[in-house]
Amino acid sequence: MVETFFLMLLLVTAFLTIQQRRLRTSVIFMAVFSLLSSVVFLLYQAPDVAMAEIVIGSTLSTVLYLVALSKQERLSQVMHLPKIPRPQMRIQVILQRLPAAILTVLAAVLLIWLYPPAADLAGQDIAADWYRSRFQSDTGAGNAVAAIYLNYRVYDTLFETLTLLISVLGVVHLSRYAEEPLPASLPVPGRMTRNGHDDGQIITPLLRLLLPLVMLTGFYIMFYGHLSPGGGFQGGAILSSVLFLRYLTVQENDLRLALMQKLEKILFLLIILVPALIVFITPFDLSGWMKSLYLITMNLLIGVKVCFGLSVIFIRFVFHESR
Amino acid sequence: MTEYLSELISLLLFCIGLYGLAARRNIIKSIISLGVLELAVILFFLSIGGDAPQRPPIAGTVAESAGMVDPLPQALMITAIVIGISVTAVTLTLFITMYHNYGTTNWDKASALNRGERHHD
């Protein structure tokens, strides 16, 4: 019952996200959609995925969208673009969207008509039984998800971290530092403490109180990721949210980005080397404490790497202009 | 029908995202639609075979593993979420670059401007 309710809410928020005319409202609806879907993931007994979605999908990417929108607004003022009036010809817009709507409805009908026979195949979960019965003795992990992405399918993790690294390189390549300072009268995204607003009085002390707790949570999730829900990706995302929070209050670009990028690449090399060395040096079973040590090391390396990667993306995105 | 409810809903969500990609001309709207598509896929993977009363794939101190959900889709979907934010970040950066060059948020206008530039060369 609860599940049905949340699934219906998901449909409604997704529809509102797509149909909303104002972009900022649409982004907020997207965040709500993501939040609701993480509740549904929890109902489907997937706490790891729910945690990743709530930190990465619902929080960090919403901040990225909002920063992009305010950047676009500022650019349109700098470039002196004329304000384009909203199109009033509703009928023309509806006619424009009609073919897409018809095609989508056809695709939906086709998918739903085709689906049930394929679902019958899902009943035979041989692989699932294999993982369920062996993961504790094989890997020494208490969390089957961590056992899979750190041991059975560690290739997935390697290429996932590589994908993140490539996207960091892409963002760095496409943005460069603004040589000419922008005129002071223009609103700079999120600048609160500098241009007359008084928000710093409350937020800055509160943040000083909050930051250590958030960092502690991030490290806890990394260190206990192999026993309880969590892991390197979630912990790293929480750690990088510390930097996001810091930007929202302090507004200083005093972080050493080049160092962070270099460290991220070194950490990626370590993430490749640790499993490779373990495979080549000790081809036989590790003893119990060494298995745990391997899992903790990998979670910690992945966490710090993800934290650096997301932070570099965010800081480049906020402080640098487009190429 | 009700046993496949979550799968059906995720298929519908996928179609909503597809509609957003096909019908909307705003670039940021397209990026948001891509996000909706991605979440629909994640929901689909997690809900496959999730009918029986089960518990999360965390053993803790309990040695038995009966009744756990399939942990494999969950491990894959964590990957999908991290790759999702990478895609969002790169596409938003590309959008800002494009806006800097063309001064429009509309796919049609941007490609018309692009064609015009090509023509002048």
Side-chain angles (χ1 to χ4, degrees), chain A residues 291-311:
Chain A
K291 284 175 189 167
S292 297
L293 187 68
Y294 164 72
L295 293 172
I296 292 173
T297 316
M298 281 297 281
N299 261 338
L300 205 62
L301 286 176
I302 291 170
V304 178
K305 186 202 167 289
V306 168
C307 166
F308 281 152
L310 291 177
S311 307

Side-chain angles (χ1 to χ4, degrees), chain A residues 102-121:
Chain A
I102 292 170
L103 277 179
T104 314
V105 170
L106 281 180
V109 169
L110 191 70
L111 276 176
I112 288 167
W113 181 56
L114 284 176
Y115 180 65
D120 292 340
L121 293 175

